[in-house]
Amino acid sequence: MNLSLNEAEDLAQGIIHFIKETSSPTSCYFIAPPFPFLDRLQTLILSQKSSLLLVAQDVSAHEKGAFTGEVSALHLKEFGVKGVLIGHSERRHYHQEKTNLLQQKTSQCLSNDLIPILCLGENLQTRETLNTISFVLNQLQEMCLPFQENIKSLPSPSLLPPLMIAYEPLWAIGTGHVPSLDEIREVHKNLKNALKSLFPNHNIPLLYGGSVTDKNIFDILKLSDVDGALIGGASLSLKTFLPLLKETRR
Ligand code: PGA
């Protein structure tokens, strides 16, 4: 719930300009604005013929019907949305979203050709008790297993992946505390191996998120099992986001 519509449009315009200036066929950029901004931002993206993709921050677990206040996957698709964040730590924490609900949301996405971006990560206590790897692998399995057959049967390679994963340690989100490169490397290596055995015919992108800034993104993206980044605070103004974006093209 950040920014006004005008601020969001200015920000999107700056990002669109950056992508145009530095175009690279191997890079893909997406923004995840609040629901009410999707329409105007999609109009902006289309009018500029930009490759910037729209992602929603949430979706209903239901297909359609009397669910006041909910937004369905079909609605999002109609607005040109390409993917949805599922299980972001704020949804898990403030809205008590649990695996079962997250699976239903993922299922709605897959039935409507939206890319679920599944967010997972350990809290500080799990990190300190050295259980991070088994915890995140377990989270990955429980969120992905129900869809293994469905995703396996999808054609590959297509332009966009059927699924993305974002590893976001809870203690790193919005805190300025970032895991060491070795810690990120270790988690990503394990998650990437698990993804390869879950979905052997797809290269599922694995993003890192949590206090990413222009100061650390270059080194994080250089790690071999890091395919991209999910950025919160640093993406909210061009002043902090443009220097970060430039680092992605260094
Ligand atoms: P942050 O947020 O970059 O501000 O840590 C990440 C997120 O909200 O996913």
Side-chain angles (χ1 to χ4, degrees):
M1 291 202 305
N2 284 297
L3 308 187
S4 68
L5 178 54
N6 282 344
E7 288 167 336
E9 278 187 315
D10 287 348
L11 182 56
Q13 184 62 71
I15 299 168
I16 288 170
H17 183 72
F18 170 83
I19 296 174
K20 215 166 246 166
E21 293 291 291
T22 60
S23 95
S24 142
T26 53
S27 299
C28 171
Y29 296 89
F30 63 81
I31 52 172
F35 289 139
F37 298 174
L38 289 171
D39 187 32
R40 283 271 284 272
L41 293 180
Q42 172 68 346
T43 304
L44 181 68
I45 289 169
L46 290 178
S47 73
Q48 311 257 326
K49 299 190 173 44
S50 175
S51 60
L52 181 62
L53 301 177
L54 267 191
V55 161
Q57 297 179 10
D58 189 24
V59 66
S60 174
H62 304 283
E63 185 189 345
K64 63 177 181 175
F67 298 100
T68 303
E70 294 273 76
V71 176
S72 75
L74 189 59
H75 290 151
L76 295 175
K77 196 172 157 182
E78 283 183 314
F79 276 94
V81 167
K82 291 285 183 293
V84 182
L85 299 179
I86 307 270
H88 188 278
S89 76
E90 285 145 21
R91 299 294 315 172
R92 291 182 194 255
H93 180 69
Y94 296 121
H95 302 272
Q96 289 80 43
E97 295 196 357
K98 301 271 185 286
T99 308
N100 189 27
L101 183 83
L102 302 178
Q103 288 170 344
Q104 289 172 38
K105 292 183 173 195
T106 303
S107 170
Q108 287 303 321
C109 287
L110 292 173
S111 311
N112 288 282
D113 301 322
L114 298 175
I115 305 167
I117 304 172
L118 305 181
C119 305
L120 49 88
E122 81 287 359
N123 64 17
L124 195 54
Q125 197 193 358
T126 303
R127 168 61 66 177
E128 283 170 347
T129 49
L130 306 175
N131 291 324
T132 297
I133 301 297
S134 56
F135 180 84
V136 294
L137 285 176
N138 189 42
Q139 271 191 324
L140 183 76
Q141 296 283 345
E142 61 184 20
M143 285 169 77
C144 289
L145 267 181
F147 310 104
Q148 195 180 18
E149 291 311 313
N150 181 350
I151 287 177
K152 259 189 195 162
S153 67
L154 295 172
S156 149
S158 58
L159 217 49
L160 292 170
L163 176 78
M164 290 195 227
I165 306 294
Y167 167 57
E168 298 205 294
L170 307 192
W171 51 277
I173 298 179
T175 59
H177 301 300
V178 191
S180 68
L181 292 175
D182 280 342
E183 286 170 330
I184 298 175
R185 185 187 289 114
E186 193 200 6
V187 174
H188 274 246
K189 187 170 136 245
N190 281 278
L191 286 174
K192 202 74 189 181
N193 284 340
L195 283 168
K196 279 180 197 151
S197 37
L198 277 164
F199 308 111
N201 57 339
H202 290 284
N203 182 14
I204 305 293
L206 177 57
L207 318 180
Y208 169 78
S211 294
V212 176
T213 67
D214 62 323
K215 302 286 180 295
N216 56 29
I217 187 151
F218 181 75
D219 290 330
I220 292 173
L221 289 184
K222 256 197 334 203
L223 298 173
S224 58
D225 290 318
V226 176
D227 301 310
L230 182 54
I231 298 143
S235 71
L236 294 177
S237 90
L238 287 174
K239 197 163 158 264
T240 48
F241 200 38
L242 279 182
L244 187 158
L245 285 173
K246 283 184 188 142
E247 286 292 296
T248 68
R249 315 292 297 122
R250 178 138 74 94

